[in-house]
Amino acid sequence: MPERKPLRLVHTSDVHLGAYEGSGDGKWEERRDLIRTTFARVIDLANNVNADMLVIAGDFFDNGRVDSSTVTFAAEQIRRFEGQTLLLPGNHDPMDPGSLYWRYDMEAMAPRLHIFRSHPGELHEPEGLDVVAWGRAYLDTDWHFKPLEGLPGRVDDRWHLGIAHGHFVREGGEMHRSLLMKESEVAAAAGNWDYLAFGHWEPHADVSTGGTTAVYSGAPMPLSDANKRAGWASVVDFDDRGVNWRLERVDPRPYEPAPL
């Protein structure tokens, strides 16, 4: 095939839109509004850097009972992004029957949005882009869900993007974890998958291993200020130099580095 075209994406996760809805505590109402503000800033970032794609790696919504106005807000913001959006459900917003992703037709509300709905995993080929994307939709009824199970081999010469929502564990670590993603699974993707976009951790983390680039973007806004390592989104470039990423601050508040 012709030389693949460069690709730029913005990677976010664990947005938790709708958190603290119904709370009469002004503190948590303020946090709810900050969560909305920072997601709008993620959209601004994606437009400002001329991203081709926005990737949301799970827990976009805080729960399946969020108010319809929250779903409308989410769709309006995604529609504001000039590129294509890929959304993978997480453990807070699973794809079980009757979930909000079945009750609301977000893809009609935001036509450039693709939601991963297949539990075994699905490949998606965004129109006009030299990329193949894969993800597994989480079902709350699957107690043994493994986010990277079934990750296929390389399809062709296009860029390959894997999206997963789970808990990465180094070999010899806490293998009892739910939504387990083993270090060996990530390493096995080397040479096939150019970037693994992870969600489930509020702090940003680089868990690249064995030649595979694997990154937790972290939450754009943490659910509480106990987490000092959130507030970012990742800008990822795929070009003839390979895959390179950087963090961009989206939390509008003054930055206070977490203590070492």
Side-chain angles (χ1 to χ4, degrees):
M1 66 172 289
E3 184 177 349
R4 56 191 174 183
K5 295 182 293 188
L7 173 75
R8 172 172 286 176
L9 63 83
V10 169
H11 167 201
T12 191
S13 73
D14 301 274
V15 181
H16 288 282
L17 289 172
Y20 309 116
E21 282 184 356
S23 171
D25 189 322
K27 171 186 175 182
W28 297 121
E29 288 186 8
E30 179 183 2
R31 177 66 52 160
R32 179 201 63 206
D33 293 341
L34 277 170
I35 288 170
R36 285 192 173 204
T37 296
T38 49
F39 181 63
R41 287 169 64 90
V42 170
I43 299 297
D44 291 340
L45 170 65
N47 281 330
N48 290 341
V49 301
N50 296 312
D52 302 293
M53 195 159 58
L54 171 66
V55 174
I56 305 171
D59 288 0
F60 184 41
F61 294 100
D62 185 68
N63 58 74
R65 305 174 305 281
V66 298
D67 190 82
S68 61
S69 64
T70 298
V71 178
T72 300
F73 168 82
E76 288 174 344
Q77 292 300 312
I78 290 173
R79 190 170 63 241
R80 199 164 60 80
F81 172 49
E82 296 165 5
Q84 300 182 53
T85 299
L86 306 185
L87 194 166
L88 179 77
N91 58 303
H92 275 255
D93 53 355
M95 189 53 78
D96 293 76
S99 77
L100 63 86
Y101 293 118
W102 296 116
R103 300 197 310 272
Y104 299 98
D105 190 351
M106 289 185 62
E107 286 152 310
M109 299 162 73
R112 293 184 300 279
L113 167 66
H114 174 78
I115 301 174
F116 288 89
R117 296 179 181 273
S118 172
H119 183 53
E122 66 180 89
L123 288 169
H124 175 64
E125 303 173 58
E127 184 177 356
L129 302 177
D130 282 345
V131 62
V132 177
W134 178 90
R136 290 192 68 194
Y138 175 76
L139 294 184
D140 204 37
T141 49
D142 183 356
W143 296 356
H144 305 290
F145 182 74
K146 300 293 188 295
L148 291 175
E149 188 173 77
L151 181 68
R154 194 166 193 89
V155 175
D156 55 26
D157 291 333
R158 287 173 292 179
W159 301 111
H160 278 48
L161 165 69
I163 311 170
H165 187 87
H167 191 87
F168 174 82
V169 177
R170 299 283 181 190
E171 300 306 319
E174 300 174 320
M175 294 299 171
H176 64 278
R177 288 279 191 167
S178 61
L179 284 76
L180 179 66
M181 301 191 299
K182 297 180 181 179
E183 180 180 14
S184 59
E185 291 179 292
V186 174
N192 292 321
W193 293 86
D194 299 296
Y195 183 84
L196 297 182
F198 286 168
H200 192 49
W201 292 358
E202 279 201 338
H204 155 73
D206 180 0
V207 296
S208 302
T209 188
T212 304
T213 302
V215 176
Y216 284 93
S217 63
M221 172 62 60
L223 288 172
S224 80
D225 286 333
N227 186 338
K228 300 296 184 182
R229 293 186 172 90
W232 308 90
S234 297
V235 178
V236 189
D237 283 303
F238 302 68
D239 55 34
D240 56 10
R241 299 170 299 165
V243 177
N244 295 279
W245 58 273
R246 69 180 189 270
L247 292 180
E248 292 283 350
R249 189 76 178 164
V250 291
D251 184 341
R253 302 171 302 173
Y255 178 44
E256 298 180 8
L260 298 177

